[in-house]
Structure formats: C-alpha cells, structure tokens
Amino acid sequence: MENKEIYKNEGITLLEKGKKGLIRMVFSRFGIVLLLLAVQVLFLFGLFFKFRQLAPHYVGLSTLFYIFALILVINSEHDNSAKITWIMVMMILPIFGGLLYIYTSIDLGHRALKKRLKALISESKNFIKQDETITEKVEKDCPELNDLATYLNKSGSFPVYENTDVTYYPLGDEMFIAMLEELEKAKDFIFMEYFILDEGYMWGKILDVLRRKAKEGVEVRVMYDGTNEFTLLPRNYPKKLEKLGIKCRVFAPFTPFVSTHYNYRDHRKILVIDGKVAFNGGINIADEYINKIVKHGHWKDTGVRLKGAAVDSFTAMFLQMWHVGDREADYKSYLNRYEVNKENGYVMPYADCPLDEYYAGESVYMDILNKAHDYVYIMTPYLILDGELEKALTFAAERGIEVRMLMPHISDSFVANALAKTYYKPLLKSGIRIFEYTPGFVHAKVFISDDIKAVVGTINLDYRSLYHHFECATYMHKTSCIKDIKEDFTKTLDKCEEVTLTSLKKEKWYIKLVGNALKFIAPLL
C-alpha cells in the first residue's frame, strides 16, 4: 500500500516515487541518535590523537580531567538519572567522556535560539493573559488546579480557559476526517506545526485543501521538524510548497556538530484554523497514523479538537516557533478570534521547552499522580523513566491508587521496547497494572484521573519528550469529553493482554539483554 500510485488521484504529491531519504531505510530514530553520538566521539578521538604527544602523561591527566568533569556533572542541573549516565560514560572513557560532556554543555548553536524563544514567550504574555475572573473561580472551586495553573503560567504563560468545547478522537482515522472538514471552512489563516510530515494519502488530501485555500487568499503556514530532511523530505521541499502559495519553514535543520544537543527537536503537533479551531494530540501527518498503511499492526493514536477561548494558546505556541528566525513577531493579528462556546469545565493548553529551567511535561504528569484519589489511567508508546517519575508512579500505586498503563504490543523501535520492559518489574511489584495493545502499536499520550482531569498531547513517558524536545498538550478539568476518554481507555483494554510478573519471566532473553545493557545510557537516547 506504500506505492504512491495508489494515491495519485487522492491528493497532491510533490515528490517522485522513491525520493525519500535513504537514512530512514537504514536507521531507527534511536539509531540516528546513536550514530550522531558515535560521530561526535570519533571527532573527539581525532582531536586527542592530534595531540598524542601527551600520551605519556595520559594516566595523570585523565585522572585529573575525570575529577574535574565529575565535579561539573554533580553540580549540574541534570536529573539524577542523567548524572549517573554521564558518570558511567566518563568512567569508561575518562578523557573522551568528559570532553563529550563539556562539548554538549557548551550549548553551541542553541544559545541564540534560547535567547530568542525567551523573548518571544515574554512578548506573547502581553497578548495571552489569564482572565482574573476565571482565576477566582478556580481558586474557589478547584484549588488543586489553581496550584498547577500557577506553575504553568510561571513557566510560559499558559492560562486556564472556560468556554471551550473539546472533542476527543480515539483514533487518528477519525480525527483526520474532522481536520479535513475544518480545513475546508478556513477563511483567514491555517497554521500547521508537526514533527513528522510524509507524502501519501493523508498529506495529499490535506495539501489539496491547502493549495485551494491559498488560491482563495487564505494565509497558509506549514512548519515541520528538521529530522524530516534526514528521513522523509528533500531539503528543497519548502520551495515546492511555496510554489503552491504555502509558506513553509523547517525547524532546526540537522547540523550535527553545530547542534550539540541533537535531541532539541520540535515534537509538537498543532493545527490552528482561523484562531477558532485547534487540533492537538499524538497524530502526525503520515499514513500510518490514520491506518492507511500498516507498519506496526493497528495504529492506536488519539487527539482533541478545541473550539473556543483556549485556541489562543495554540495560536501563540505556533507563532513563537514560527518567528524564531524573525526580528519581529505578530501576535495581535491572529489572537482573540475565537467564538465563545458555553461549555463546562476548564481547559489549559501548555507547551514544554527544553531550553528553559522548567519541566512542564513531567511536572503535569507528576501532579496528576500525586493528587489522584481513585485512579490514574495512562497510554504511552514509550517508557524510559527518570527516578522522580518512576517514584511518583510507584508511590501512587503503593498508596492505593489504581494505576493502569496501556503500552504497545508491537513497538516501532526494538531498543525502545527493550528499555521499556526493564521498568515493568518494579512497576508491577508496586501494584501498577500494565497492558499491551495486542492489535499493534499505541502512539497515544493520554493521562486520565478520577473522572475529572485528563491530558491529551504529544508528551511521551521518555527522556526525549520530558527533557529534550519541544512538546505541547491539552490539560482538561471537568470537561464533558473526559467521560469519552475514559470510555475509550476501557474499550481499548478489551483488546489488550495484561503483563504479569509470571509472563515477564518468559520474555525473550535477547530483549532483556539489550534493555539492561542500554539502560545506563537511556538519558542520552
């Protein structure tokens, strides 16, 4: 079904068959990271051998350098798991591990980005402000939500909204239909920001609408992450879109040595239409996300559509990323265009930036776990935890909270799957119940708790999402769609197989070996 000829009458394709990047056929996403890490280590080896006259003094020099680098790591702001990883790397390679740590800590290529994003976020606060009347309601009715709102507003100005209708989609197949319907209604502007954009049926149908809308005078902007140039799209793809009247930008094209933090990727998925409608969730623009092609069995993904005041936050998020390379940013022209929807509950879209001092994604998840009264249900494709989040999960279960985790049975990454299973045993022992989706792959990122709060977004339970990527999500409190999210979770469990300590013993030996062998470098993956 991957043959482009199947789609030739279903939408637009701008690439000839077979023009995708070669690397995608060779490396998984973890493979690319490991390759870049290896290249950087070889680069440092080259520097060392260039000055090999120091070899006789290697032992003393390496010991002193190891101690120096060790002090830097211990006093860094990394979480404890990352610190342990770096210490292990430096124990194995005293000189090269230390040099690699210093090299990545220098932050080459991202200082300007960090400064610019900080300015953009600060500027957007003049246009995205918390309604004080809502704050008073939240303080009175939902004090625990008020605590979280205070934190998120401090981290990046993410207000709590009322009057926002949220529709939950249990599959990408269903959300795609809704996306096309809303795109057809566009009159003023369309903003799209996605981690993955791949030609095929899904993008072809969307692109057909975007082309027509651009001809009608609708402003169309598309942004995707630079990893697509590595794996899916040619470097000149933005020019191809511009010929159709579509503005296009690539976020952080890959430059391995300039970009020391190769994990700073734009993993967000945002579609905003006229400032009135927004879509968010785990669904990228590629055919596997809507089960048009089969890669890892049935693809289970989720998303939400927002209509109302909360759309402004997603509009601002998009504009912040879009204007990274511009001197000025225009927020005013695109905000406060929403139509009021008289809906119950509160909605709080939020983003997580890896370049600031806040860990918004992880903090929200931990807040849900720590404040739960009855249950927390979780869907995640990956499970690579730091100590703090692992403790929050086990503590919730040990204090009597029903914690259920829904994971894929067929993973899109052998390494990610092997690493995830290394966490199963301690989680199961604490009382957490783990289920694997037997029809295929779960790509959804969902938390739901106590029938009153839920999160749907892009944030996985792994180091990449929690520490290294730009992410976003929709937090909901007492919204009507929460019952739909819980119903979907319950129905999906019927298609799952429960993991037990007994079944875990029967896991293939090589999966256990790989997981345990790579766990110490998990923060680098």
Side-chain angles (χ1 to χ4, degrees), residues 23 35 75 90 93 190 223 235 289 312 386 389 417 438 479 516:
I23 291 181
L35 173 66
N75 289 279
M90 291 189 296
L93 300 167
I190 297 170
M223 181 163 57
R235 206 168 184 88
Y289 291 85
D312 267 359
D386 63 10
L389 189 51
N417 182 50
T438 53
T479 56
N516 290 321

Side-chain angles (χ1 to χ4, degrees), residues 214-484:
K215 282 188 176 181
E216 294 171 10
V218 175
E219 182 181 7
V220 182
R221 301 187 192 183
V222 173
M223 181 163 57
Y224 55 85
D225 186 72
T227 50
N228 284 264
E229 293 184 346
F230 237 143
T231 58
L232 300 172
L233 302 172
R235 206 168 184 88
N236 67 341
Y237 201 74
K239 293 182 179 179
K240 293 177 179 290
L241 292 178
E242 286 165 9
K243 289 180 180 180
L244 300 177
I246 298 168
K247 299 176 183 178
C248 181
R249 291 185 178 179
V250 178
F251 180 81
F254 245 94
T255 50
F257 287 104
V258 175
S259 301
T260 55
H261 287 274
Y262 42 77
N263 273 321
Y264 285 175
R265 311 314 310 171
D266 184 358
H267 192 245
R268 308 193 308 187
K269 293 94 179 168
I270 297 173
L271 169 60
V272 178
I273 301 165
D274 293 343
K276 298 178 180 179
V277 180
F279 289 88
N280 178 225
I283 301 153
N284 279 298
I285 309 299
D287 288 341
E288 59 267 30
Y289 291 85
I290 60 171
N291 288 293
K292 198 68 179 178
I293 61 174
V294 178
K295 285 192 172 181
H296 310 287
H298 185 262
W299 195 287
K300 167 66 177 174
D301 218 326
T302 62
V304 288
R305 179 188 65 191
L306 284 64
K307 289 187 175 182
V311 173
D312 267 359
S313 281
F314 281 116
T315 306
M317 288 180 209
F318 175 88
L319 291 170
Q320 287 165 4
M321 298 295 272
W322 181 268
H323 288 298
V324 161
D326 299 332
R327 290 189 175 184
E328 296 182 359
D330 182 8
Y331 292 101
K332 190 175 182 180
S333 300
Y334 302 98
L335 297 173
N336 298 312
R337 290 169 169 258
Y338 58 85
E339 296 175 354
V340 174
N341 285 268
K342 295 294 182 180
E343 294 291 334
N344 295 326
Y346 302 100
V347 181
M348 184 168 49
Y350 62 96
D352 195 355
C353 172
L355 297 170
D356 63 22
E357 65 272 27
Y358 299 97
Y359 300 111
E362 183 176 47
S363 297
V364 170
Y365 288 160
M366 290 180 67
D367 185 80
I368 292 174
L369 288 164
N370 291 334
K371 293 178 179 177
H373 296 290
D374 298 312
Y375 74 85
V376 178
Y377 296 162
I378 301 166
M379 293 189 209
T380 181
Y382 312 114
L383 195 65
I384 306 176
L385 306 172
D386 63 10
E388 288 81 359
L389 189 51
E390 183 176 0
K391 181 60 180 177
L393 284 161
T394 56
F395 177 65
E398 287 166 354
R399 67 185 179 88
I401 304 302
E402 181 187 6
V403 182
R404 297 187 179 190
M405 302 187 68
L406 204 158
M407 300 281 299
H409 185 69
I410 304 174
S411 180
D412 68 336
S413 167
F414 173 78
V415 173
N417 182 50
L419 282 169
K421 292 184 184 299
T422 64
Y423 295 92
Y424 279 12
K425 187 175 181 179
L427 295 180
L428 289 170
K429 282 187 172 182
S430 72
I432 294 173
R433 298 179 68 186
I434 301 174
F435 301 83
E436 291 186 348
Y437 182 65
T438 53
F441 182 55
V442 172
H443 190 254
K445 306 93 166 57
V446 174
F447 266 61
I448 179 171
S449 177
D450 299 343
D451 293 348
I452 60 170
K453 62 183 73 171
V455 172
V456 177
T458 70
I459 307 169
N460 302 314
L461 290 184
D462 66 1
Y463 278 93
R464 288 182 150 212
S465 277
L466 299 174
Y467 290 99
H468 301 312
H469 283 173
F470 292 89
E471 304 280 359
C472 63
T474 303
Y475 184 98
M476 294 157 278
H477 191 93
K478 295 183 178 179
T479 56
S480 58
C481 74
I482 289 176
K483 67 179 186 302
D484 300 324

